[in-house]
């Protein structure tokens, strides 16, 4: 029965999602040209409010908790598990006060996806070419410098790829270690994402309706006396305890 409703509701979801992307593409361009970074970021925040709200067309719930107590105006490295492409809009919107930038595949930045590719190219993301280590390091260092100079934050999915079952993959250290080297005082904050992999249980069509999805921002990790590998392992263990229970 759930799958049946998925066939009925998924076209509505995709229609709303696509309309939001198409409408905000020229809005982003205008905001960037006329108002610079601040106006552009505001347009991206509003876009992701609407993209997140598209979940309600599937009668899916979105619960984002734990971020209210985080300090504003300090660099934060958000470390999250990755369950689906639909993880991202809620993170951008709910962490908007922290200027959270993603480490993303360069292919997405050049894919010509309305709004999304434009934001990746002009919004401060680190767009890495996984086949080119030098380029990847340079992009991450550029983001790390912006974190240091502008108190931006970064969002990284250390699994590298999305899970199809909800079972987490091991976290890699590289990107986080580079960010920490430039920003040793940055907070490292885990985010445990639950349920969004179920949204694509049947694939991209139909999407699964009546799905509970949660983003739980955990307490910052106490980094004192820990190296990068130990910090990432602690983040992984904390997230795993929330996701695989």
């Amino acid at each position: 029965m759930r799958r049946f409703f998925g066939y009925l509701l998924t076209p509505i979801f995709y229609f709303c999602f696509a309309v939001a992307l198409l409408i905000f593409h020229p809005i982003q361009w205008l905001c960037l040209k006329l108002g610079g970074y601040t106006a552009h970021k505001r347009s991206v925040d509003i876009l992701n409010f609407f993209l997140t709200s598209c979940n309600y067309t599937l009668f899916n719930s979105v619960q984002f908790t734990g971020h209210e107590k985080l300090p504003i105006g300090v660099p934060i490295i958000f470390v999250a598990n990755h369950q689906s492409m639909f993880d991202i809009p809620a993170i951008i919107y709910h962490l908007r006060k922290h200027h959270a930038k993603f480490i993303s595949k360069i292919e997405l930045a050049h894919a010509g996806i309305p709004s999304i590719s434009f934001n990746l190219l002009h919004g401060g993301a680190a767009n890495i070419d996984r086949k080119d280590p030098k380029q990847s390091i340079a992009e991450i260092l550029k983001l790390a410098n912006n974190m240091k100079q502008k108190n931006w934050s970064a969002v990284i999915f250390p699994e590298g790829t999305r899970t199809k079952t909800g079972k987490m993959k091991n976290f890699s250290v590289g990107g986080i270690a580079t960010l920490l080297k430039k920003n040793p005082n940055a907070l490292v904050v885990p985010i445990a994402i639950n349920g969004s992999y179920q949204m694509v249980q049947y694939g991209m069509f139909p999407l699964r309706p009546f799905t509970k999805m949660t983003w739980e921002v955990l307490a910052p990790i106490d980094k004192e006396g820990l190296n990068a590998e130990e910090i990432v392992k602690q983040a992984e263990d904390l997230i795993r305890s929330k996701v695989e229970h």
Side-chain angles (χ1 to χ4, degrees), residues 21 43 46 68 93 100 161 169 176 180-181 193:
L21 293 179
S43 72
I46 297 171
E68 305 88 353
Y93 176 69
T161 57
K169 301 176 175 64
I176 299 171
L180 278 172
K181 188 173 182 179
I193 301 174

Side-chain angles (χ1 to χ4, degrees), residues 141-162:
L141 283 174
K142 183 170 69 174
L143 173 56
N145 286 328
N146 280 328
M147 290 174 65
K148 187 173 184 178
Q149 296 168 10
K150 303 175 183 179
N151 286 325
W152 286 2
S153 296
V155 180
I156 187 166
F157 297 118
E159 292 171 282
T161 57
R162 298 185 292 267

Side-chain angles (χ1 to χ4, degrees), residues 53-146:
S53 298
C54 287
N55 286 293
Y56 301 129
T57 64
L58 294 166
F59 296 92
N60 290 347
S61 65
V62 175
Q63 186 179 24
F64 204 105
T65 60
H67 59 296
E68 305 88 353
K69 298 179 181 179
L70 293 175
I72 305 297
V74 299
I76 301 175
I77 302 170
F78 292 101
V79 182
N81 61 309
H82 199 11
Q83 295 197 340
S84 81
M85 62 177 284
F86 302 113
D87 295 339
I88 296 171
I91 292 176
I92 295 175
Y93 176 69
H94 287 282
L95 298 181
R96 60 193 181 278
K97 293 181 180 179
H98 302 283
H99 298 260
K101 311 301 177 183
F102 283 80
I103 296 177
S104 177
K105 295 185 295 185
I106 197 171
E107 291 85 355
L108 286 176
H110 295 290
I113 304 169
S115 286
I116 293 174
S117 295
F118 187 89
N119 183 42
L120 288 173
L121 287 171
H122 302 286
N127 302 304
I128 63 172
D129 183 349
R130 293 180 178 177
K131 299 177 183 177
D132 186 345
K134 289 185 179 179
Q135 185 273 351
S136 297
I137 293 172
E139 280 289 299
I140 295 173
L141 283 174
K142 183 170 69 174
L143 173 56
N145 286 328
N146 280 328

Side-chain angles (χ1 to χ4, degrees), residues 19 39 44 49 59 83 91 104 111 131 154 168 186 208 219 228-229 243:
V19 166
V44 172
F49 167 79
F59 296 92
Q83 295 197 340
I91 292 176
S104 177
K131 299 177 183 177
M168 287 172 50
R208 184 180 188 263
E229 288 78 8
V243 173

